[in-house]
Amino acid sequence: MRIPMIAGNWKMNTTIGEAVKLVSEMRTELDKADNVDKIACPPFVSLGAVKELIKGSSIKLGAQNLYFEEKGAYTGEISPLMLAGLCEFVIIGHSERRQYFNETGEIVNKKVKAALKINLKPILCVGERLEENEAGRTELVIAEQLRSSLIGIASPDSVTIAYEPIWAIGTGRAATGRQANETICFIRQSIARLYTEEVAQQIRILYGGSVNADNATEFIKQSEIDGALVGGASLKAAQFLSIVKQASEIM
Ligand code: PGA
């Protein structure tokens, strides 16, 4: 049985002070929600402060990115070794990184491998652009993203996949529950083809893209959807809490 996951991707938002305030507002209530993994992914600079705040609670921590080298002359980058011990999860291959920082499938693959090497759990993002969706190319695009991201990875058991159609991210135009469920079903079939049916059945696949307190249940209740990667709504304590509670209640 797959435990649902609600992960908050704060993106490039919150100062350290704001991060501490946001977590303080939801810590007690979030901690109470059971049967669901709750993950906060603040900016790098706030990971330490948030880690202190959530000590002893059931809230887990994730980073939003990493570099694939362990150390060296890569000014400005954060290595997997720096994240080890600080957080449990790391978002990899978010469409904003692919779009603004030219992350290719090859780079995403190196990052997933680097994370797995030191037992960081990747949240691997895939998703199609609007024009690809309209041209009926969603499955082709996603199959290729999955293939290239997972090359050479023998066991993806600790990988979570987030299906985030790019046209739904930050636009207020979420997919419908049915659309998301169909594509996530396709992702599961693709994982079964790349690995085994058993692996496909145990891997968690989230939906992301304009998820909020009003539409969360529509996604979480779908048979193939194991939770949500939440952007904008994760910056509002009441919204994020509500989404987590909905996931907890559906279980
Ligand atoms: P959104 O972002 O919820 O603001 O659409 C989701 C994401 O990019 O992970």
Side-chain angles (χ1 to χ4, degrees), residues 42 51 56 71 76 83 88 92 132 134 136 138 204-205 233 243:
K51 184 180 166 68
K71 61 179 175 180
L83 295 176
E88 188 176 335
I92 297 177
E132 292 165 337
E134 288 175 346
T138 298
R204 287 189 284 195
I205 312 179
I243 296 167

Side-chain angles (χ1 to χ4, degrees), residues 29 57 85 91 105 121 132 136 163 171 182-183 190 245:
E29 287 301 307
S57 83
I91 298 170
K121 298 173 182 161
E132 292 165 337
Y163 167 55
T171 58
E182 273 172 16
T183 305
S190 304
K245 282 185 181 161

Side-chain angles (χ1 to χ4, degrees), residues 162-178:
Y163 167 55
E164 300 204 308
I166 294 170
W167 45 269
I169 296 177
T171 58
R173 182 188 161 188
T176 63
R178 208 173 124 240

Side-chain angles (χ1 to χ4, degrees), residues 145-167:
Q145 287 174 343
L146 289 170
R147 190 199 61 79
S148 61
S149 309
L150 295 170
I151 287 174
I153 293 164
S155 157
D157 300 14
S158 66
V159 177
T160 298
I161 295 170
Y163 167 55
E164 300 204 308
I166 294 170
W167 45 269

Side-chain angles (χ1 to χ4, degrees), residues 230-243:
V230 185
S234 71
L235 293 166
K236 297 176 190 129
Q239 283 269 328
F240 192 66
L241 255 177
S242 167
I243 296 167

Side-chain angles (χ1 to χ4, degrees), residues 17 20 24 34 50 81 102 109 130 136 143 158 176 189 218:
V20 165
S24 305
D34 44 21
V50 173
L81 289 180
N102 304 319
N109 177 244
L130 181 61
S158 66
T176 63
Q189 288 164 355
E218 180 186 341

Side-chain angles (χ1 to χ4, degrees), residues 102-123:
N102 304 319
E103 284 195 11
T104 59
E106 192 187 339
I107 293 172
V108 170
N109 177 244
K110 285 184 176 173
K111 291 186 171 191
V112 174
K113 284 178 176 159
L116 290 175
K117 192 172 168 202
I118 56 149
N119 295 325
L120 274 170
K121 298 173 182 161
I123 300 175

Side-chain angles (χ1 to χ4, degrees), residues 9 11 94 96 164 168-170 208-211 229-232:
N9 173 12
K11 308 194 180 185
H94 190 281
E96 286 150 16
E164 300 204 308
I169 296 177
S210 296
V211 174
L229 181 54
V230 185

